[in-house]
């Protein structure tokens, strides 16, 4: 049965979508069947994997609001084993429309649970908020990866996210756990980056992944070409970082 993992941090610009795209692509190149669920109205995970959202008739929005069959909304990417449940700007309105549904926090869970038998990993890219869609993502997931950028204010807001996770564990999804904190945008030449690295390590110790994602130009360029960095420039530092991260995640999960 596949693992459902969401990437969450209500602080924007921390590398959530970059991680969702590139972790998924790295896992797929290792032979894992992966679904990226784009739960962000900006739809950057969809476009970053080469999906033209302008030509789609079905997205996650129709699945959540109109009960459209999720199998028909899933789109293959250019990478073998890698699929996307795309997003759309309409998802902005879903926050309000879901309010009237029964078990409104579990709408996404009901959509994704049957898909576990078809995928090794289902990665949910959350929006930078703690709204109802993100609550749905956390309720549907077994674990959370929290990207933390190695910059000033890195830990700002994390206590709020941890409190939200605690509430969801107690009320909606008791098995939910934190998979780990992933340090992103790391530049070892900067004293501040090293200070943040040490601070996060001291705060969360074993909960921090060993892999660190370095600042990398190729990593920043890849989404504009609709490609993950592993296909845009497989030899880049960014590509190697995410391959290492995928290996670490597989080892943590005890997957063969």
């Amino acid at each position: 049965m596949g693992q459902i993992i969401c990437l969450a941090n209500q602080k924007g610009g921390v590398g959530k979508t970059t991680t969702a795209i590139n972790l998924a692509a790295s896992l797929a190149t290792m032979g894992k069947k992966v679904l990226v669920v784009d739960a962000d109205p900006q739809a950057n995970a969809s476009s970053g994997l080469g999906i033209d959202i302008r030509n789609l008739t079905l997205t996650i929005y129709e699945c959540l609001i109109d009960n459209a069959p999720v199998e028909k909304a899933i789109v293959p990417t250019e990478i073998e084993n890698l699929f996307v449940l795309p997003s759309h700007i309409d998802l902005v309105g879903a926050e309000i429309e879901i309010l009237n549904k029964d078990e409104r926090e579990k709408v996404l869970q009901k959509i994704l649970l049957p898909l576990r038998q078809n995928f090794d990993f289902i990665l949910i890219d959350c929006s930078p908020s703690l709204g109802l869609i993100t609550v749905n993502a956390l309720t549907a997931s077994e674990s959370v990866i929290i990207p933390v950028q190695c910059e000033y204010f890195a830990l700002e807001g994390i206590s709020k996210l941890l409190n939200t996770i605690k509430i969801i564990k107690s009320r909606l999804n008791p098995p939910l756990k934190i998979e780990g904190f992933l340090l992103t945008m790391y530049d070892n030449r900067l004293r501040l980056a090293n200070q943040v690295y040490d601070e996060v390590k001291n705060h969360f110790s074993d909960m921090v992944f060993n892999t660190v994602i370095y600042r990398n130009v190729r990593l920043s360029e890849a989404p504009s070409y609709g490609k993950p960095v592993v296909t845009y420039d497989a030899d880049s530092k960014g590509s190697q970082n995410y391959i290492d991260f995928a290996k670490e995640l597989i080892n943590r999960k005890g997957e063969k």
Side-chain angles (χ1 to χ4, degrees):
M1 294 288 274
Q3 311 272 345
I4 304 179
I5 304 171
C6 74
L7 295 99
N9 190 332
Q10 78 273 22
K11 194 171 187 303
V14 299
K16 270 193 310 295
T17 301
T18 299
T19 297
I21 290 169
N22 292 293
L23 173 59
S26 299
L27 289 166
T29 60
M30 294 175 189
K32 303 294 181 187
K33 195 173 179 186
V34 185
L35 173 66
V36 173
V37 177
D38 192 347
D40 185 345
Q42 295 177 84
N44 290 335
S46 304
S47 60
L49 286 168
I51 308 299
D52 185 354
I53 59 170
R54 294 168 299 180
N55 297 326
L56 297 173
T57 53
L58 289 179
T59 67
I60 190 173
Y61 173 81
E62 285 76 21
C63 296
L64 289 170
I65 304 305
D66 302 328
N67 300 317
V70 67
E71 294 82 2
K72 292 188 176 178
I74 292 171
V75 183
T77 69
E78 291 180 359
I79 298 175
E80 190 179 359
N81 295 320
L82 181 55
F83 299 81
V84 183
L85 175 55
S87 186
H88 191 273
I89 191 64
D90 288 350
L91 195 61
V92 169
E95 295 269 346
I96 295 165
E97 294 174 76
I98 286 179
L99 285 173
N100 300 319
K101 285 188 171 272
D102 293 333
E103 294 193 297
R104 60 193 182 193
E105 298 91 353
K106 296 186 176 181
V107 181
L108 185 58
Q109 184 185 60
K110 290 172 184 172
I111 291 169
L112 297 184
L113 282 182
L115 297 176
R116 288 181 63 198
Q117 60 193 2
N118 302 329
F119 295 94
D120 297 307
F121 288 94
I122 297 174
L123 302 180
I124 308 174
D125 182 34
C126 296
S127 65
S129 75
L130 292 177
L132 190 51
I133 300 294
T134 299
V135 168
N136 262 265
L138 289 164
T139 304
S141 300
E142 293 159 67
S143 62
V144 193
I145 292 171
I146 303 173
V148 181
Q149 87 282 33
C150 293
E151 293 178 359
Y152 198 57
F153 295 137
L155 296 177
E156 187 183 65
I158 283 185
S159 60
K160 193 174 179 184
L161 174 61
L162 295 178
N163 192 48
T164 300
I165 291 170
K166 188 176 175 183
I167 292 167
I168 286 169
K169 272 178 70 74
S170 65
R171 298 182 187 173
L172 296 165
N173 185 10
L176 181 66
K177 67 186 183 74
I178 295 171
E179 194 67 48
F181 293 83
L182 176 69
L183 288 157
T184 63
M185 306 178 194
Y186 180 64
D187 186 340
N188 60 356
R189 299 167 300 177
L190 301 178
R191 191 196 316 174
L192 176 62
N194 290 302
Q195 285 173 345
V196 172
Y197 177 90
D198 292 338
E199 194 174 350
V200 174
K201 279 280 192 184
N202 289 337
H203 251 80
F204 301 109
S205 57
D206 292 345
M207 294 172 73
V208 182
F209 286 102
N210 294 323
T211 307
V212 174
I213 309 301
Y214 282 71
R215 276 199 178 278
N216 180 251
V217 173
R218 308 303 267 172
L219 195 55
S220 303
E221 290 174 349
S224 64
Y225 292 89
K227 293 177 181 290
V229 72
V230 72
T231 54
Y232 178 64
D233 186 350
D235 296 325
S236 67
K237 181 84 169 175
S239 176
Q240 192 53 57
N241 285 165
Y242 277 107
I243 290 287
D244 290 343
F245 181 43
K247 287 177 181 173
E248 184 177 356
L249 183 63
I250 288 169
N251 289 336
R252 278 197 181 203
K253 290 295 186 185
E255 294 242 340
K256 295 287 184 274

PDB file of all heavy atoms in Angstrom, residues 47 109 177:
ATOM      1  N   SER A  47       2.243  22.836 -13.199  1.00  0.00           N
ATOM      2  CA  SER A  47       2.993  23.446 -14.304  1.00  0.00           C
ATOM      3  C   SER A  47       4.470  23.068 -14.254  1.00  0.00           C
ATOM      4  O   SER A  47       5.118  22.898 -15.288  1.00  0.00           O
ATOM      5  CB  SER A  47       2.830  24.969 -14.301  1.00  0.00           C
ATOM      6  OG  SER A  47       3.313  25.520 -13.092  1.00  0.00           O
ATOM      7  N   GLN A 109      -9.278  12.859   1.967  1.00  0.00           N
ATOM      8  CA  GLN A 109      -8.937  11.505   2.435  1.00  0.00           C
ATOM      9  C   GLN A 109      -9.754  10.448   1.695  1.00  0.00           C
ATOM     10  O   GLN A 109      -9.223   9.417   1.253  1.00  0.00           O
ATOM     11  CB  GLN A 109      -9.193  11.409   3.936  1.00  0.00           C
ATOM     12  CG  GLN A 109      -8.787  10.085   4.553  1.00  0.00           C
ATOM     13  CD  GLN A 109      -9.178  10.028   6.026  1.00  0.00           C
ATOM     14  OE1 GLN A 109     -10.358  10.133   6.370  1.00  0.00           O
ATOM     15  NE2 GLN A 109      -8.194   9.888   6.894  1.00  0.00           N
ATOM     16  N   LYS A 177       2.086  11.595  11.661  1.00  0.00           N
ATOM     17  CA  LYS A 177       3.365  11.891  12.312  1.00  0.00           C
ATOM     18  C   LYS A 177       4.196  12.816  11.433  1.00  0.00           C
ATOM     19  O   LYS A 177       3.924  12.966  10.241  1.00  0.00           O
ATOM     20  CB  LYS A 177       4.147  10.609  12.611  1.00  0.00           C
ATOM     21  CG  LYS A 177       4.656   9.847  11.413  1.00  0.00           C
ATOM     22  CD  LYS A 177       5.271   8.532  11.854  1.00  0.00           C
ATOM     23  CE  LYS A 177       5.859   7.740  10.696  1.00  0.00           C
ATOM     24  NZ  LYS A 177       7.117   8.280  10.191  1.00  0.00           N
TER      25      LYS A 177
END
